[in-house]
Amino acid sequence: MTEPVKFKCVAIIGVGLIGSSLACAMRKRGLTDQIIGVDCDEGVLARAKKIGVIDDGETSLEKGVSGADLIVLSTPVGVMSDVCKALSAAADDGALIIDVGSVKGSVAKAAAALPERLHFVPCHPVAGTEQSGPEAGFASLFEDRWCILTPLVRDDEPYKAAVKRAEGLWAGVGAQVEVMDAAHHDLALAVTSHLPHLIAFTLVGAADDVESVAHGEVIKYSAGGFRDFTRIAASDPIMWRDVFLANKDAVLEVLGRFSEELAVMQRAIRWSDGKALEDAFARGRSLRRAIVDAGQEMDAPNFGRDKKER
Ligand SMILES: NC(=O)C1=CN([C@@H]2O[C@H](COP(=O)(O)OP(=O)(O)OC[C@H]3O[C@@H](n4cnc5c(N)ncnc54)[C@H](O)[C@@H]3O)[C@@H](O)[C@H]2O)C=CC1
Ligand SMILES: O=C(O)C(=O)Cc1ccc(O)cc1
């Protein structure tokens, strides 16, 4: 059983959906005395302070992280290496640094270059929505969701203790913690998250092209499955640009396999091969049933909307 841990001061760098959700969850559960927001956008900081997500805001990273015993990188993945470099001089001795990025290999490389006095534990809460910004955050986002940790290869005692603290933090906000290496994470998430997002962006883009000849029919009759795709396709373009650039190799690998499967389906339809189609669809149904039986069907389409409380 992982014990929840407490922090004196947390600096959240990037006060968007995930940063503000962690801030709200920590505040609600009494896991920190003070929350400082650091963001390059002054408007974000003003809004976050107004709605009570942060106690104070700073556009200067150096000032914002001074005195923090927990530093959270919750920016898009593409700027994390630069933020990490800036922390090498700015962060207090012994600070626990975590990130929440959707890709782990790239940030792990930057984290490994930090001085030994700092303890960076890469993390990925596998929980989110299509929304962005501080107003989108809510305290229960991480409850009963996975958080994957990909610790650096370091076996000094202070680092091992920092990994335990990171586990305690996520357990403290209600998540279930899993530890794996960064390459494994990036391949697994390419399958379960990155490819599905790519398909949603592509499908909705294609439907939008058709819309120009279908004169409103796509919007009028969009139901069920397509609506779910449009929700995912409404996700932040900058965040997802960075995910695909940072996880290029793994995504190209699974995209290659997906394209092959798609070609098989195309052929089955062309040649009226009902047996091939039925077999392929039956595989999909049994995978879904296995997920439900394992109690992992947490991604209801309205996840987060019916219990969103700051
Ligand atoms: N949106 C989601 O559902 C999930 C996102 N993630 C990861 O969490 C991270 C944050 O995503 P969101 O919270 O959705 O993004 P967001 O767009 O809501 O917030 C990002 C914030 O970072 C700030 N920012 C950008 N560059 C900065 C810099 N150089 N210095 C300081 N602040 C900077 C932006 O102004 C913005 O306020 C990403 O790395 C993403 O991969 C992880 C799990 C789920
Ligand atoms: O909104 C959804 O359906 C998501 O899948 C949210 C999400 C986006 C990115 C992540 O790294 C983890 C979760």
Side-chain angles (χ1 to χ4, degrees):
M1 190 52 194
T2 311
E3 289 300 316
V5 290
K6 289 184 81 171
F7 296 88
K8 284 204 299 289
C9 174
V10 49
I12 307 268
I13 306 176
V15 192
L17 166 73
I18 304 297
S20 65
S21 292
L22 187 56
C24 293
M26 289 184 74
R27 193 190 294 285
K28 195 170 180 189
R29 290 166 180 253
L31 301 181
T32 184
D33 297 333
Q34 195 187 10
I35 302 173
I36 305 297
V38 179
D39 205 289
C40 55
D41 184 334
E42 276 183 47
V44 163
L45 293 173
R47 278 151 45 210
K49 188 165 176 184
K50 192 169 173 207
I51 60 178
V53 165
I54 56 173
D55 297 312
D56 271 304
E58 259 300 341
T59 50
S60 152
L61 180 132
E62 287 72 19
K63 285 188 195 157
V65 303
S66 167
D69 52 350
L70 173 65
I71 299 171
V72 180
L73 274 62
S74 40
T75 63
V77 169
V79 297
M80 282 191 185
S81 299
D82 285 347
V83 172
C84 204
K85 271 185 210 142
L87 288 175
S88 68
D92 281 13
D93 278 349
L96 170 62
I97 305 173
I98 63 168
D99 76 303
V100 296
S102 305
V103 183
K104 298 274 57 91
S106 50
V107 77
K109 225 181 253 172
L114 282 172
E116 206 174 308
R117 66 182 188 87
L118 300 174
H119 307 128
F120 193 130
V121 182
C123 303
H124 177 203
V126 189
T129 74
E130 73 283 13
Q131 313 280 345
S132 311
E135 296 83 359
F138 56 101
S140 60
L141 177 64
F142 310 109
E143 287 172 12
D144 302 321
R145 310 286 291 186
W146 289 108
C147 183
I148 302 172
L149 271 54
T150 63
L152 307 182
V153 185
R154 263 180 77 168
D155 60 5
D156 54 298
E157 287 308 321
Y159 187 73
K160 285 199 241 170
V163 174
K164 285 273 164 266
R165 275 173 82 68
E167 288 179 7
L169 166 65
W170 289 109
V173 296
Q176 296 185 59
V177 175
E178 184 90 16
V179 175
M180 64 180 70
D181 72 65
H184 185 78
H185 168 279
D186 288 354
L187 186 59
L189 271 291
V191 176
T192 60
S193 175
H194 307 167
L195 183 65
H197 276 80
L198 189 67
I199 293 169
F201 287 126
T202 310
L203 177 70
V204 172
D208 194 37
D209 289 344
V210 174
E211 180 72 357
S212 59
V213 285
H215 306 296
E217 304 289 87
V218 170
I219 290 170
K220 187 169 165 194
Y221 298 123
S222 80
F226 185 71
R227 285 180 84 89
D228 294 347
F229 277 110
T230 61
R231 183 191 72 76
I232 295 172
S235 302
D236 188 67
I238 292 172
M239 170 191 153
W240 283 100
R241 174 202 66 192
D242 285 3
V243 168
F244 290 109
L245 294 178
N247 202 22
K248 185 189 268 192
D249 293 344
V251 169
L252 289 178
E253 166 66 24
V254 298
L255 188 56
R257 286 166 190 249
F258 176 77
S259 306
E260 284 172 23
E261 291 291 327
L262 198 59
V264 169
M265 303 299 270
Q266 190 176 16
R267 188 181 161 82
I269 294 168
R270 183 180 306 286
W271 296 101
S272 302
D273 186 348
K275 166 94 173 65
L277 291 173
E278 195 182 324
D279 287 353
F281 301 157
R283 236 171 114 193
R285 177 174 265 198
S286 55
L287 181 63
R288 168 69 188 176
R289 287 190 175 153
I291 291 171
V292 173
D293 288 349
Q296 297 290 310
E297 87 297 10
M298 294 178 287
D299 280 316
N302 74 339
F303 176 76
R305 294 198 189 86
D306 50 358
K307 53 174 185 175
K308 186 171 168 173
E309 186 192 307
R310 247 178 236 125

